[in-house]
Amino acid sequence: MDLQKLVRPNIWGLKPYSSARNEYTGVARVFVDANESPYNEPYNRYPDPLQQQLKNKIAELKGIAASQIFLGVGSDECIDLAYRIFCRPGIDNVVAITPSYGMYEVCADINDVQYRTVPLNDDFGLDADRLLAAADGNTRLVWICSPNNPTGNAFPREAIADVCRRFGGIVVVDEAYVNFSERGSMLSHLAELPNLIVLQTFSKALASASVRLGMAFASKEIIALYNKVKYPYNINLLTQRYAMELLDGMTEIDGNVEQIKAARGWLAKELAQLPCIERVYPSEANFLLVRVGDADGLYDYLLARGIVVRNRNRVPMCHGCLRLTVGSREENELLIEALKEYGRSM
């Protein structure tokens, strides 16, 4: 892969913003370079622009090099930067599966990049041939969410690797829900697939959605481009410290994931017994997609009772569907009881 041919020429030649903290690697005694206040330490100082301490910890947990990690303000920053690095506005295009996560298309529209969609199979499976057939000489990115949102299913890793090998551009695999799946991560394929970017997040299994911290994993050359384009201090000190402490508790986090997976099984079983639920789709995420008779009516019914679900009725291939997050035991029971009441009122 010739990476330079895939990168926007202005980005390849960009001279990034550089602070004195980037240029100095020793132990400083005096900081008078950044016009900071000398009071209120440590919050008076700009944070580490490359989050090296946090990346080292993540690298140890993931079994990869710290130079292969980019940290963004949620996965949304990682998604947006992929467009800004590789796609020329008004010229290039991307290909994505549908239905899938909506931010891929929103970011394409913001960056003036054509967004081409390829429907999944009827069973929500991935058709690599159709996906690649939608690409042309100006296709820079392929988006694959696995486990997929909103369908909940994960794709075989070999099928994704096949797309990477056959596509001449960048393949971005969004693994926001990978902790809830038994298929495992594409991270183990990074060494053999230089055009692969893997996205993960602190929002789902790590239960830190409000912190807004996303991760992109790729070759060190691609990560260097991410660092080149990002704003200098994108991850603040509070977030870096929080994440460091959180990652010390992985045993508890793994236990919570197992509880959610068990609750997913219980919820799926309970839902399948309700007359208002026509189908419960298999899930390898922390949510269930269900088909109902009247999605809009049931959605409004639940809202009126203070229960907020996601209406996917107008999403391609999801007509009549609601997406239900696996909540706490109490939340799940309240949801089931409300659905039973709805069924009795039908």
Side-chain angles (χ1 to χ4, degrees), residues 239-253:
T239 296
Q240 293 185 45
R241 287 187 163 189
Y242 169 85
M244 289 288 293
E245 294 176 4
L246 180 71
L247 294 177
D248 285 334
M250 284 305 300
T251 300
E252 180 179 355
I253 290 168

Side-chain angles (χ1 to χ4, degrees), residues 128-294:
D129 291 335
R130 287 197 296 121
L131 195 66
L132 293 168
D136 61 23
N138 286 333
T139 305
R140 290 295 183 263
L141 303 172
V142 167
W143 294 97
I144 300 174
C145 185
S146 180
N148 188 36
N149 176 13
T151 60
N153 61 309
F155 307 116
R157 285 191 291 166
E158 187 50 42
I160 298 173
D162 180 52
V163 174
C164 293
R165 296 187 188 103
R166 295 166 60 190
F167 179 55
I170 302 296
V171 178
V172 187
V173 181
D174 189 343
E175 294 185 341
Y177 303 96
V178 71
N179 302 72
F180 305 102
S181 172
E182 304 302 321
R183 292 188 185 269
S185 171
M186 289 296 293
L187 285 180
S188 59
H189 294 269
L190 282 178
E192 63 181 280
L193 300 172
N195 63 335
L196 173 64
I197 298 175
V198 178
L199 305 184
Q200 293 183 10
T201 180
F202 277 67
S203 295
K204 309 303 180 182
L206 294 172
S208 301
S210 69
V211 174
R212 310 308 303 128
L213 186 60
M215 298 171 281
F217 306 96
S219 68
K220 64 179 182 180
E221 291 80 11
I222 290 177
I223 295 303
L225 290 166
Y226 264 85
N227 289 330
K228 191 177 190 181
V229 174
K230 78 174 185 71
Y231 289 113
Y233 305 104
N234 61 324
I235 307 299
N236 66 70
L237 177 61
L238 294 171
T239 296
Q240 293 185 45
R241 287 187 163 189
Y242 169 85
M244 289 288 293
E245 294 176 4
L246 180 71
L247 294 177
D248 285 334
M250 284 305 300
T251 300
E252 180 179 355
I253 290 168
D254 292 341
N256 291 340
V257 169
E258 291 304 313
Q259 289 189 56
I260 291 172
K261 289 161 66 176
R264 179 182 67 196
W266 178 88
L267 186 59
K269 183 178 178 180
E270 293 293 316
L271 288 166
Q273 298 176 34
L274 300 177
C276 65
I277 304 295
E278 297 181 353
R279 182 174 181 181
V280 180
Y281 290 91
S283 176
E284 295 182 63
N286 68 334
F287 58 83
L288 293 165
L289 185 71
V290 299
R291 190 174 68 224
V292 301
D294 179 9

Side-chain angles (χ1 to χ4, degrees), residues 25-101:
T25 58
V27 179
R29 296 175 57 204
V30 177
F31 289 105
V32 289
D33 60 297
N35 304 333
E36 302 153 322
S37 170
Y39 307 111
N40 193 36
E41 290 193 355
Y43 304 108
N44 59 328
R45 304 297 179 189
Y46 288 105
D48 176 5
L50 294 177
Q51 313 94 31
Q52 200 59 55
Q53 188 178 10
L54 177 54
K55 286 180 180 176
N56 289 341
K57 176 161 283 196
I58 295 172
E60 183 178 354
L61 290 170
K62 301 292 184 181
I64 62 174
S67 59
Q68 293 180 276
I69 303 171
F70 171 81
L71 299 179
V73 182
S75 293
D76 293 343
E77 182 180 12
C78 303
I79 293 167
D80 182 61
L81 288 186
Y83 283 101
R84 291 164 61 188
I85 292 167
F86 295 106
C87 299
R88 295 167 296 176
I91 299 174
D92 293 326
N93 66 76
V94 304
V95 171
I97 60 174
T98 189
S100 198
Y101 181 43

